[in-house]
Amino acid sequence: MSKRITNAIALGMLWIAALITVAVLGTVIGYVVINGIGELSPRFIFTWPEGVAAEGGVWPTIVSTLYVTALAMVIITPIAILAAVYLAEYAVQGRLVGTIRFAADSLASVPSIVMGLFGLALFVEAAGIGFSMLSAALALSFLMLPIVMRTTEEAIRAVPKYIRWGSYGLGATKWQTVSRIVLPAAMPRIITGIILSTGRAVGETAVVIYTMGQAINLPVSPLDSGRPMTVHLYLLAMEGINLPAAYGTALLLMILILGFNLGARFFLRRNRKV
Amino acid sequence: MALRATPVPDNAPNKITVKELDFFYGDFHALTDITVDIKEKAVTAFIGPSGCGKSTFLRCFNRMNDLIPGARAEGLVSLDGQDIFETGVDPVDLRRRIGMIFQQPNPFPMSIYDNVAFGPRLQGVSKKAELDEIVQHSLERANLWKEVKDILGRGGLTLSGGQQQRLCIARVLAVEPEVMLMDEPCSAIDPTSVQKIEDLMAELKDRITIIIVTHNMQQAARVSDFTAFFLQEVAGDPAILVEYDRTSNLFTSPKDRRTEDYITGRFG
Amino acid sequence: MANRLVRLNTTERGVRRRMRIRAAMFATVVALVAVSSGCDRNGPAENEVIVTGSTTMLPIAEIAGEMFHDRYPDKKVLVSGLGSSAGIETVASGSSDIGTSSRDLKPAEEKLGLYDTPIAFDAIAVIVHPDNPIDSLTTEEVRAIFAGEIENWSQLGGRDKKVGLVNRDEASGTREAFDSIVMGDTPFDRTAAVLPGTGQVRSVVANAPGAIGYISLGFVNDEVKAVTIDGVTPTPEAVVTGEYPIQRLLHFYTVGPPTGLAKKYIDFVLSPAVQDTIIQDAGFTPIIGGDR
Amino acid sequence: MSETPGTQAGSGTLQLVSRRTYFKELALKNLFLLCAGVAVAGVVLIFAFVGVRGWPIFAEVGPWAFLAGREWNPTAGLYGILPLIYGSVVVMLGALAIGTPLAVGTAIFLSEIATPRVRSIVRPAVELLAGIPSVIYGFFGLIILRPIIADATGGLGFGAVTAWLILAIMIVPTIAAISEDALRSIPPGIREASYAMGATTWQTIYKVLVPAAKIGIIDAIILGMGRAIGETMAVLMVVGNAPVFPESISDPIATLTTQIVMDMPYAAGDHRTALFGMGIILFLVSMGLVALVRLMSRFQTAMESGR
């Protein structure tokens, strides 16, 4: 076969691979939107599920999802950012840093079901926090930690050296340089990383199923249990009696996550000055 | 030349004294046996081919090299007679007294005002009126006030390259340094702005000791009172200080043949 | 404490059967029940009914409890699902007012002197694809199919088509009932697909020609065909008369005939307001006349 | 020099590092180190808490009976997880076989072929694919894909093949992103050199770029492998959950992850311990894959610096 034909066929295949990827995304989103759009109504969003087949709305599950996500974010953001500051600004390459990085990579790849079992064993049972927003948020924090850490470290490293020098040259201490120059300059990308990790937490199922409980409840205190949207969707889908509500929940979940993703992109584009 | 005030007298006090300085990056020996006295309230230029260690040397004065892992200096560098490498000396205090301007203009990603106020704020100045005064005074000394007085809230990065560099100078002036180190401050900006910065140096030197690293011999000849010529003769060997003299002497009657070769453009 | 318990339990509404409190929550709930019953029962407890027991019956007891509370706002029904045996035990020991059970009393438990009020039938239909020519099976045939001994419909005179077994998950009350009524000591075929929901069993059977599964009678619709068992068509009537074999009773047990608030609640559960709504929505067959 | 106008009062002798500043900076540094240590603590805690709960199963049943036992039947006291390991491996391999060409193809497309405009559509699409929750993939697989597979195979539609298709899509973003990074980190000069020698785009990709990015692509596949083994909800909803060695790829099957979710609601005693034991195995496998990736990058660095 001539060189040019081989080339054309091979490039065609690559096009097809990319097209399949985009088409699958389109199909999944389209399918959820088409089936779910009819369900969406203020009533569906703002009322409680009722009766044995969860007729009615999904309000408590939305609240549970947002509650646990916000709580996890509050817990993990400071820790992850400071950890990234350590790695990017303070650490000297060596065994310690190697260990920390390996641990972070390992955390990032822990199967979520294992994280769920861990949360159950440590927070729910051993620590006695019970099925609660707090237990779920703590378990989710470990999931978000490596993501926020990595994006923050990259963001910090992307701040030009010159800017740092300027600050040191003026007699700023390390912490003054980090807190007044480096972190503010890296903030848009750090926030983007946080938003993306938040999206991950919103979509997580296996971690929260064993840490938050499954009871439908409107959480008020962090010690309250609840049922997040993902678990609600899972139960509705597997039960298979009230599929319309499952489509509606799936669409809401998708809107939330796409919202987080697009929000992060938009935010980054608007603030990318440095 | 026209802007230069009276020549620096021979008996001007030494601001910085360097004796037998050797400098290493890990295993790499970058500078060896440098001995030089920097006169107060004069402009001293460091010239030499690229990679000859003149920037490294400059960064010894405010211990910026501390930030590079594995870098170490042996020998003596003293400021007003005090060893800056002495145990316990605070590099942060040192850097407040020895300001630095870099090759790449590096305003912080914040407003013009905040850029200039950054240093004073570090030192605990927080009163608005006081800061306003410092900011205005510093920008005036950097000849930038007229251009930016109405846009102080705008981001420092929105200025042109030359303006950015003058903003950085204003930022350094705001902390009232005794010495200003300038590491090729004009190599990344347009010629008109270069002129402005050179004028500025002449104005500033009656209050501040200035050391400038430049690869541009004409610039060294224009702005400096003293010039030091550095050279790394063999790749891999440490660089040395070949000759140090009044600029007028060094450019007109160099004592060392290597200096002569360099200034007449035979290499470098 | 009591308040928290209400939230924990009475809000467990939603999809049927998946509403069980997780095994892991077990200890917590037992503790909560013990504590709340401990303090509440000493005082004038006439405003609360404590109901514990069968997880199968948890959703109906709970939702009926909420409706009861809506009707009598000063009365509360606290429901928890601990399993039928625990329900019988707690009511006998006096730490709950009503014990719910999806099975009859074991001989040893009969000595406890509990009073039985059946509140619904749990009848299970065996379903196949509507195009499957097989219309009737015997209990033995159903058992053989689910044990994996009959692997092709041709063995029963049907088409040459592999049997696609659809089982429920082991936490399912329906599976528990089917296991005890149909399978007895015969183990299920473990190659069967295991689905954790009634609706999924129904929809899988509805579009796989060789499939067979079982669901509560109340969930049968025209997407699937419920076969006759031992010649009896599964209808509510056949269930009530006791002719249809795959069925069991759901019980409320009390210490002696129910009195006071417990009686009020039980009467409410037996009233059309519950029987015609929740009981049917949950796939159970109402008790008609309330006795048998 | 004190009479010099403009020089500030602080001139004169150099200040020593103040004790306050020194300790403040030191304390901050250690605080940051502590925060970084949370990652290490996380790994240790997971290992400890899942381990303590799961370890007894190795003692109770014996490691051999647990790992190599051919029957998972907790009600009968049989805790052999071989069928589940088998299920996990079958599901993972199939997903990789389908997903890898798709993902690497997409990565090559993005880095070598797509115009910036096309790239600006495809790349966010790949990233969004990563953002969709696994439960939605599972839902999609259960409602849309399963009936299609059922029609095609004549079975129920639950089984390895359905899981392959869903998982293949789910690992595309992981593999594609890392492969693309690897391809983009190849210096542009290498491409130009190849084109200058008269190579076609495909020859350049196949003979020059892919070999140059080989280690990065293998890393990507290993991480995709980890994702496939660890994925839970989406697989759970489409495999049929029969903990047996299936006769065909369209028969119900179960994996380590799905069996944990199926059994947790009612498991107690040894059964529950066994589920935690499966958790340890999953954790060790995922950590092992990460270690493998690190080893490979060390190997690559060694090779490059050796050259």
Side-chain angles (χ1 to χ4, degrees), chain C residues 18 22-24 161-162 164-166 169-171 190-196 200 203-204 207-208 211, chain D residues 71-73 75 142-143 146-147 154-156 158 240-244 251-252 262 264-267 272:
Chain C
R18 297 300 306 178
R22 300 264 134 186
K161 180 92 195 151
K162 205 176 154 236
L165 279 183
V166 184
D169 56 303
E170 293 200 42
R190 299 185 59 78
T191 64
V194 175
L195 301 183
Q200 277 308 321
S203 72
V204 166
N207 58 27
Chain D
E71 192 145 359
W72 174 261
N73 191 352
T75 28
L142 177 69
I143 305 291
R146 186 202 59 77
L156 299 174
F158 289 106
N241 309 305
V244 291
D251 281 345
M262 287 304 288
M264 268 313 274
Y266 72 101
R272 204 149 184 262

Side-chain angles (χ1 to χ4, degrees), chain A residues 48-54 120 125 131 210 213-217 223-225 227 234-241, chain C residues 4 7-8 11-19 22 24-25 59 63 196-200 202 219 278 281-282:
Chain A
W48 282 60
E50 274 170 24
V52 283
L120 175 68
E125 294 178 354
F131 290 99
Y210 298 124
Q214 295 181 38
I216 292 177
N217 185 26
L223 295 177
D224 288 344
S225 66
R227 179 196 289 180
Y234 166 68
L235 296 177
L236 286 172
M238 289 316 273
E239 192 57 36
I241 298 293
Chain C
R4 182 155 156 71
R7 275 222 301 282
L8 253 182
T11 52
E12 281 264 17
R13 46 190 174 176
V15 191
R16 169 170 179 259
R17 304 261 189 204
R18 297 300 306 178
M19 307 299 91
R22 300 264 134 186
M25 216 188 242
I63 294 168
T198 299
Q200 277 308 321
R202 189 174 66 191
F219 287 118
I278 304 166
D281 289 346

Side-chain angles (χ1 to χ4, degrees), chain B residues 225-239:
Chain B
D225 302 293
F226 297 90
T227 298
F229 170 57
F230 291 83
L231 184 65
Q232 179 189 32
E233 284 189 288
V234 182
D237 276 5

Side-chain angles (χ1 to χ4, degrees), chain D residues 113-180:
Chain D
I113 296 178
T115 59
R117 214 183 129 72
V118 175
R119 215 179 110 78
S120 73
I121 297 168
V122 177
R123 198 151 197 279
V126 174
E127 284 166 13
L128 285 185
L129 221 42
I132 294 179
S134 55
V135 64
I136 288 187
Y137 281 112
F139 185 43
F140 181 82
L142 177 69
I143 305 291
I144 299 291
L145 207 53
R146 186 202 59 77
I148 296 174
I149 304 288
D151 284 348
T153 61
L156 299 174
F158 289 106
V161 67
T162 319
W164 290 348
L165 294 174
I166 286 295
L167 257 185
I169 288 303
M170 296 182 70
I171 61 176
V172 161
T174 309
I175 301 182
I178 303 170
S179 304
E180 197 201 340

Side-chain angles (χ1 to χ4, degrees), chain B residues 174-247:
Chain B
V175 295
E176 303 277 354
E178 298 154 40
V179 181
M180 181 148 73
L181 309 176
M182 305 180 89
D183 188 357
E184 303 198 19
C186 300
S187 64
I189 55 184
D190 62 285
T192 338
S193 304
V194 170
Q195 179 63 48
K196 286 186 177 157
I197 286 173
E198 289 183 1
D199 292 351
L200 187 55
M201 287 163 68
E203 287 168 30
L204 290 173
K205 76 163 186 176
D206 54 293
R207 291 161 83 177
I208 295 178
T209 307
I210 295 176
I211 307 174
I212 178 171
V213 164
T214 178
H215 59 268
N216 179 335
M217 279 178 287
Q218 287 71 34
Q219 185 174 49
R222 280 197 301 271
V223 301
S224 70
D225 302 293
F226 297 90
T227 298
F229 170 57
F230 291 83
L231 184 65
Q232 179 189 32
E233 284 189 288
V234 182
D237 276 5
I240 51 164
L241 171 63
V242 175
E243 188 168 352
Y244 174 57
D245 206 342
R246 277 194 182 270
T247 303

